[in-house]
Amino acid sequence: MTLLVIAKSPRPGLVKTRLSPAYAPAEAAQIAAAALHDTLCAALAVPTSRVVLALDGPTGDWLPAGIEVVPQQGNGLDERIEAAFAHCWARDSHTPVLLVGMDTPQVDAVLLHDGSAQLRDPAVDAVLGLATDGGFWALGLSTPAPGLVAGVPMSMPDTGARQLQRLTGGGLRLSMLPELQDVDTPDDAWSVAASAPAGAFADVVRRLGRRHVVEGAA
């Protein structure tokens, strides 16, 4: 089993920009780094032979040991996801791959283990976890299936629904994972921190304090 995390390097002004201006760019980057760290630690806690991070940007002290890091390839996020899956299968095309993003730091080893177990079920070809913002937080495929993500519009209110349609339209036997809240806005950050209070993400959000969007801010 391969757990694949796709993420941006947490650099100020380049990540979690919707948290600003409530949080300064450097603070938003701290929140992103903690979210990524918690996600990677959850992946490492799952009994699996391989954890891969497809990263846009440099590594940092947020990176736990034991992670295989590869640069993202492609233009849009859909192409980068396809390339990340292809990288995982280049070594072993018979191993299921479960991809997650960095926007749901409440993900824990139990949830990832459940998704992995479903992918190993001979009756399941794919798993999908939808996000409350209309996207998806997890996508798993039991075998290589090129073209199942390419062309799906990303970061749209109907991205998750379109990805779901792509999977079912391709005849895949699908199992759904629980819907999770993405961290996009300051309110999201506080809500997710409250729901998962034990991780580095919650620690950072509590330390920085609750912030609200300023009315009329860009």
Side-chain angles (χ1 to χ4, degrees), residues 133-151:
D133 66 353
F136 60 88
W137 66 268
L139 171 63
L141 297 170
S142 60
T143 57
L148 281 176
V149 181

Side-chain angles (χ1 to χ4, degrees), residues 1-180:
M1 184 70 205
T2 297
L3 287 173
L4 171 62
V5 179
I6 189 162
K8 289 182 178 180
S9 182
R11 292 175 287 176
L14 298 176
V15 68
K16 289 294 166 205
T17 55
R18 290 177 61 188
L19 293 179
S20 298
Y23 293 95
E27 293 174 327
Q30 292 178 45
I31 292 172
L36 182 50
H37 176 82
D38 283 354
T39 303
L40 293 172
C41 286
L44 286 171
V46 179
T48 181
S49 59
R50 192 180 185 195
V51 178
V52 178
L53 171 62
L55 184 64
D56 177 11
T59 61
D61 58 8
W62 45 264
L63 180 67
I67 305 289
E68 176 186 342
V69 182
V70 297
Q72 292 183 17
Q73 303 289 334
N75 294 317
L77 181 56
D78 58 329
E79 291 184 12
R80 292 174 178 234
I81 291 174
E82 289 264 1
F85 271 105
H87 170 84
C88 293
W89 277 317
R91 192 173 79 180
D92 182 1
S93 62
H94 300 290
T95 300
V97 177
L98 176 61
L99 173 141
V100 297
M102 63 179 288
D103 295 337
T104 49
Q106 69 271 47
V107 165
D108 58 19
V110 173
L111 189 53
L112 294 180
H113 183 272
D114 181 59
S116 300
Q118 291 185 50
L119 274 181
R120 289 192 294 267
D121 184 338
V124 174
D125 299 316
V127 298
L128 182 68
L130 298 178
T132 54
D133 66 353
F136 60 88
W137 66 268
L139 171 63
L141 297 170
S142 60
T143 57
L148 281 176
V149 181
V152 174
M154 296 289 150
S155 303
M156 302 291 289
D158 62 348
T159 293
R162 288 183 180 231
Q163 186 60 66
L164 175 61
Q165 185 178 36
R166 180 70 67 86
L167 296 171
T168 55
L172 273 68
R173 297 167 297 175
L174 182 65
S175 181
M176 299 299 295
L177 299 177
E179 184 180 66
L180 294 183

